[in-house]
Amino acid sequence: MAAPLEALLLQVRCLSLSSTRRLLVRCNSALVKSSPVNPRVLPGQSALLSSHVQTFCTTTTRWAEEAKEESTETTEKKQEDAEESQQEDTSLDEDIERRQKWMEMYNSCLPGYGQVFDGIPYNQLPVIHVFANWNNTHATCTDSTGKILAQTTCGKEGFKNAKKATSVAAEVTGQSIATKALDLGITNVRLVLRGIGPGRQPIVKGVQMGGVNIVSITDGTRFSATGPRPRKARRI
């Protein structure tokens, strides 16, 4: 019995902690069966075995207590992590509610907020974006989220070169985008104008002539708050 025991002790040195524990528990259970009162065990071996049994029992008991403490610490840590995650979720929900509240306050200041047109709220109406520059006029129809539904320009309507900058071309472009919107089932739109080109006002007239109801007109022309860069100072 001593030779296998020595072999087990040699294996313990090259095993991991968990494997060592399992090996010692198995060896302990095997040695308990071979108690000193067993007549098959010699007196010299009985003392050896009893000392090893005592050592193994002490070791396994200590490791069992350590494992219990580790499991307790792990449980406490999991509870703390769960509480922290719950607090983070609560703070995140509060942040979302605060942002929604501010968005409602901001939208309530917009024109037409709370009104419904043919069963569609104002903030969900499609939008016709108009960009009027000095050489051309662009018109794009989008839904309330910004997805492009239809678009056209004076150049696409057949006008070339300098004729694209005329008011007639802008009016025809407005009628064209209105027709495309009606084909999509859109009857009420919001109009957003950008730019100061010659087709700025005629395209609004063209959209109205096309049969689309303009609910609101917004000026989205961009401008610089500080103005253009000044000229280089003259050196004397």
Side-chain angles (χ1 to χ4, degrees), residues 18 87 185:
S18 59
Q87 292 178 357

Side-chain angles (χ1 to χ4, degrees), residues 125-220:
L125 287 174
V127 184
I128 293 181
H129 299 270
V130 176
F131 176 48
N133 56 23
W134 293 107
N135 300 318
N136 202 351
T137 304
H138 304 258
T140 305
C141 181
T142 67
D143 59 4
S144 58
T145 61
K147 181 180 178 181
I148 296 177
L149 304 177
Q151 59 181 356
T152 185
T153 62
C154 294
K156 288 184 178 181
E157 299 303 322
F159 296 91
K160 302 297 181 181
N161 301 328
K163 294 181 180 179
K164 293 187 296 183
T166 60
S167 59
V168 176
E171 187 174 332
V172 172
T173 303
Q175 294 179 3
S176 176
I177 196 66
T179 303
K180 292 181 179 181
L182 290 175
D183 293 340
L184 296 173
I186 299 173
T187 56
N188 299 300
V189 297
R190 293 177 289 169
L191 194 64
V192 178
L193 298 175
R194 186 162 69 93
I196 55 175
R200 179 183 175 92
Q201 293 182 354
I203 196 170
V204 177
K205 182 179 179 181
V207 172
Q208 290 178 340
M209 292 175 60
V212 175
N213 180 30
I214 300 177
V215 173
S216 65
I217 300 177
T218 306
D219 188 3

Side-chain angles (χ1 to χ4, degrees), residues 57-72:
C57 289
T58 304
T59 305
T60 53
T61 304
R62 179 168 54 83
W63 280 353
E65 293 176 355
E66 292 179 358
K68 186 176 180 180
E69 292 177 357
E70 289 179 359
S71 63
T72 305

Side-chain angles (χ1 to χ4, degrees), residues 4-14 23-24 27 52 56:
L5 183 61
E6 293 176 358
L8 289 175
L9 292 176
L10 290 175
Q11 291 180 10
V12 169
R13 299 179 182 177
C14 59
L23 182 60
L24 290 178
C27 185
H52 283 299
F56 290 155

Side-chain angles (χ1 to χ4, degrees), residues 5 9 20-36 48-66:
L5 183 61
L9 292 176
T20 305
R21 291 182 181 180
R22 290 195 296 269
L23 182 60
L24 290 178
V25 171
R26 186 176 61 185
C27 185
N28 184 17
S29 60
L31 291 175
V32 168
K33 295 179 182 179
S34 304
S35 60
L48 179 63
L49 292 178
S50 62
S51 62
H52 283 299
V53 169
Q54 185 177 3
T55 304
F56 290 155
C57 289
T58 304
T59 305
T60 53
T61 304
R62 179 168 54 83
W63 280 353
E65 293 176 355
E66 292 179 358

Side-chain angles (χ1 to χ4, degrees), residues 25-128:
V25 171
R26 186 176 61 185
C27 185
N28 184 17
S29 60
L31 291 175
V32 168
K33 295 179 182 179
S34 304
S35 60
V37 298
N38 193 341
R40 297 182 180 179
V41 182
L42 298 177
Q45 291 182 349
S46 63
L48 179 63
L49 292 178
S50 62
S51 62
H52 283 299
V53 169
Q54 185 177 3
T55 304
F56 290 155
C57 289
T58 304
T59 305
T60 53
T61 304
R62 179 168 54 83
W63 280 353
E65 293 176 355
E66 292 179 358
K68 186 176 180 180
E69 292 177 357
E70 289 179 359
S71 63
T72 305
E73 293 177 357
T74 304
T75 305
E76 294 177 354
K77 187 176 181 181
K78 287 182 179 179
Q79 291 179 355
E80 293 178 357
D81 294 342
E83 292 177 357
E84 290 179 359
S85 62
Q86 186 176 3
Q87 292 178 357
E88 291 178 357
D89 294 341
T90 304
S91 61
L92 182 61
D93 294 339
E94 293 178 354
D95 190 16
I96 293 175
E97 291 179 359
R98 191 182 304 110
R99 290 185 179 183
Q100 290 178 352
K101 183 178 179 181
W102 279 106
M103 287 301 298
E104 290 179 359
M105 294 176 60
Y106 172 76
N107 291 331
S108 62
C109 300
L110 297 177
Y113 178 78
Q115 299 182 11
V116 179
F117 300 89
D118 294 339
I120 304 176
Y122 174 81
N123 57 352
Q124 296 181 7
L125 287 174
V127 184
I128 293 181

